[in-house]
Amino acid sequence: MRLEYTEPQKRFRAEIRDWLAANTPRETLPSFDTEAGFEQHRAWERKLFSGRWSAVTWPTEVGGRGCDLIEWLIFEEEYWRAGAPLRVNQNGVFLLAPTLMEYGTEEQKKRFLPRMASGEDIWAQGWSEPGAGSDLAAIRCKAALDGDHYVISGQKTWSTRAVWADWLFGLFRTDPDSQRHHGLTFILLPLNLPGITIRPIRQLNGLTGFAEIFFDEVKVPAVNRLGAEGQGWNVAMATAGFERGLMLRSPARFQQTARNLVQLCRENPAAAEADPVLRDQVVKGWMDAEAYALATYRTAGRLNRGAHIGAEASTNKIFWSELDLLMHETAMHLLGPRAELMPDAPDVAAGHWLDGFLFAQAGPIYAGTNEIQRNIIAERMLGLPRS
Amino acid sequence: MDFTFEDQQTAFRDAIRRFLMTEAAPEHLREIWETKSGRSTELRSKLADQGLTALSVPEEFGGIGLSDLDWVLVQQELGYYAIPDSLSDTAYLAVYLLTNMPADVALKREWLPRIASGKARVAVGHPVNPLVADAELADLLLLWHQDEVHALTPAQARLTFNPSIDMSRRLYRIEWTPSDKTRICPANAGRGLWEGVLDRAALAAASQLLGLAHRMLDLGIDHSAQRKQFGKPIGSFQAVKHHLADVAVKIEFAEPVVHRAAYSLARGHALAPVHVSHAKLAAGEAAWLSARKSIQVHGAMGYTWEADLQMFMKRAWALDASWGNRAFHKARVARFVLGNGAALGPDATFN
Ligand SMILES: Cc1cc2nc3c(=O)[nH]c(=O)nc-3n(C[C@H](O)[C@H](O)[C@H](O)COP(=O)(O)OP(=O)(O)OC[C@H]3O[C@@H](n4cnc5c(N)ncnc54)[C@H](O)[C@@H]3O)c2cc1C
């Protein structure tokens, strides 16, 4: 065990810190769930790419820096510390890319990765359907192979960023007679194809952060398949593993929130004194954010030594989503009557917490609900009998 | 940056685990409970054979000279098997105290080799604990008085036994009179030593609590796989699964906190006391939750003397308040986090 950074790691930190200091926009960008905000975030992705910072863990040949997980954590720490914009292409860079590198053909990698890294293609995920939420294997949206094309008909929903995104990746039923997780195929498709209708859905904050997608005999070239026909479930599970595992929510995000919460508590001494439980929760928020960081460094160490992340990944998802709720609930109570104020009210600082509070409500739901994660932990990590 | 243990550290841990699995089986612990002293000289000498009494005694005094980081994994096993022995007080705390005393303290040369060879028991009295564990059987008492360190034999003090809910804990109130004869270290040198003892003791308790949390989870898992209701193992019911999954999450995120605290102590990190308090809080939380959830999935069986679960629950409840209760450790963390000038945030964890 060695819990000090090496000299190269320190230099790496200094390099990204300098770059961010010089390049991070001074004003917070408008939400990427608005049309203008989306394009500004795309421009930021391009800027990151110009500094070769958009996908640091990727190999250098495809625009990355070949960083290991420790360097990735350092990158994320600096990124959140600098208050840099949220990553509009998170779905692509962090979730699809690792799967593409594992299952994609050379041709596919060349075609998709560089445009993803530069923000030319922003990706959305298409798993959920009206009848397939937690029970993802109930997918019905069908893709029928017809010569060198699939013909897709059906519906996806809750697709984050899909209102303005360029591409979609997801699971489709290619074998009409199949059941459950058999007969599914992982397909990549541009969202501007004829026959696609995108209907934005307003979220809790009033913005259209996700969308329903309707497919009416949409023709997609068969070369857009990722992995083998009928093997989509296994390919998708790789993505789910990355998502729950490390890349979806780096500890830095929560450590930044914890720090801001401490600040909020210091600025509102009367509130913290009147309700001492809040003070306690502020400290608890800091401790849990720290614990999440330590656990992630430990996982990174194990992965660097060749281990795999198994069902333990499900513990992450529960831990960070509950931590995020705890911190934002605490902030709301500290803010008291200011807590209800929207981000466009004059009291900008309060609105920022409200935004985070609303989004924290979704944490235990997306990326597999926390109940589903508990099932996974119980059955695959603890070995309890299946229901 | 590498947050993993060395192979030899985990191999040593595994060897201790195999040893305790047979030597500290629950039936055996119950037998020891029933004895008058509550201690087994046989078990203690076997622990010494495993090298545990010599672990952090410096080599010049006949020990192995290992660090806090080596101890932490062993402590987790001592907790998992709830060994009825205050081994850690002698072999970790007293050794720390004696080893770090000014060089002219003769007691060092007298006691460290005896501790290493498993021939001496030492009890440690710190003001954070109202009672002293294992004082009666001890060959030597090391006691706090106004930051000084005093050494005496049990015969020089009046001991009153205070039974604990955990029958493995043997707690005593000690009445004694400090004098120039008993003082072995003055307050100016003693202050730092006592702080070091407190941090190590709290870390030891945290690691044991983590091991206990793990054990109670394992007992819950075993029981829910075997017990059948409605024609199925109760472990197939989702409510039962989720109880146990919640415990697994708590343990998963308490363990690295405990390990980091050990590293910080071993390296003399300026924030080691904060890291230790965080570790004690996190491990305590995991242990309390594990006790509550495990008894729940055991049903009425969990409320009996017969079920082994009781041994681990009781140890956990008792240990959690020793060497600084929750309020004590929360206050230490809060002073840092809410105090001015604390480096917090994403880049502060290891800097
Ligand atoms: C902000 C946000 C962004 C999202 N982005 C995307 C996206 O980009 N792409 C995409 O495909 N999807 C996305 N989703 C959808 C998300 O994956 C689903 O919401 C999630 O899988 C749950 O499905 P559901 O909403 O249909 O809820 P349901 O499955 O109907 O669940 C409702 C409740 O029942 C519980 N429940 C269901 N089954 C069980 C069970 N077996 N055991 C115990 N409890 C159970 C759930 O835990 C939950 O509490 C997003 C969701 C949100 C909130």
Side-chain angles (χ1 to χ4, degrees), chain A residues 125 127-128 133-134 158-160 210 365-366 369 371 375, chain B residues 238:
Chain A
Q125 310 188 69
W127 315 113
S128 304
S134 297
W158 314 128
S159 186
T160 300
F210 45 34
I365 299 171
Y366 62 76
T369 72
E371 288 73 29
N375 292 346
Chain B
Q238 198 174 53

Side-chain angles (χ1 to χ4, degrees), chain B residues 9-180:
Chain B
Q9 289 170 318
T10 50
F12 184 61
R13 187 264 322 271
D14 293 345
I16 296 301
R17 181 180 289 174
R18 279 191 300 274
F19 162 76
L20 291 172
M21 200 181 294
T22 48
E23 297 298 334
E27 315 78 77
H28 193 44
L29 304 199
R30 283 172 191 272
E31 284 165 22
I32 299 176
W33 271 9
E34 302 304 330
T35 63
K36 182 162 173 302
S37 70
R39 295 289 174 260
S40 155
T41 41
E42 192 196 340
L43 177 63
R44 178 52 90 91
S45 72
K46 283 182 178 165
L47 291 169
D49 292 344
Q50 296 295 314
L52 290 177
T53 50
L55 211 59
S56 51
V57 175
E59 287 171 89
E60 52 176 313
F61 295 111
I64 315 177
L66 295 180
S67 77
D68 302 296
L69 201 53
D70 301 288
W71 263 112
V72 74
L73 292 176
V74 172
Q75 296 278 8
Q76 277 178 255
E77 299 307 312
L78 298 181
Y80 190 92
Y81 292 99
I83 64 142
D85 195 299
S86 56
L87 169 76
S88 168
D89 295 33
T90 298
Y92 187 40
L93 306 183
V95 166
Y96 168 81
L97 201 48
L98 288 167
T99 306
N100 291 286
M101 279 207 195
D104 60 338
V105 175
L107 282 179
K108 252 176 155 143
R109 285 180 295 282
E110 185 183 346
W111 288 94
L112 286 173
R114 290 175 64 190
I115 292 173
S117 63
K119 292 199 187 76
R121 287 176 181 272
V122 185
V124 180
H126 186 285
V128 79
N129 298 319
L131 303 171
V132 178
D134 280 34
E136 191 172 4
L137 268 192
D139 302 293
L140 180 72
L141 304 174
L142 292 175
L143 304 176
W144 178 93
H145 175 71
Q146 309 295 345
D147 285 339
E148 300 164 350
V149 186
H150 290 252
L152 49 164
T153 62
Q156 290 171 281
R158 217 169 80 97
L159 306 181
T160 318
F161 179 56
N162 283 243
S164 161
I165 179 69
D166 173 7
M167 289 178 70
S168 304
R169 276 166 72 78
R170 301 282 156 149
L171 302 173
Y172 296 85
R173 199 156 85 84
I174 304 192
E175 288 157 275
W176 61 291
T177 316
S179 71
D180 288 349

Side-chain angles (χ1 to χ4, degrees), chain A residues 179-193:
Chain A
Q179 295 284 324
R180 310 291 303 156
H181 50 274
H182 303 285
L184 298 171
T185 299
F186 198 115
I187 296 173
L188 318 172
L189 59 102
L191 281 168
N192 61 2
L193 292 176

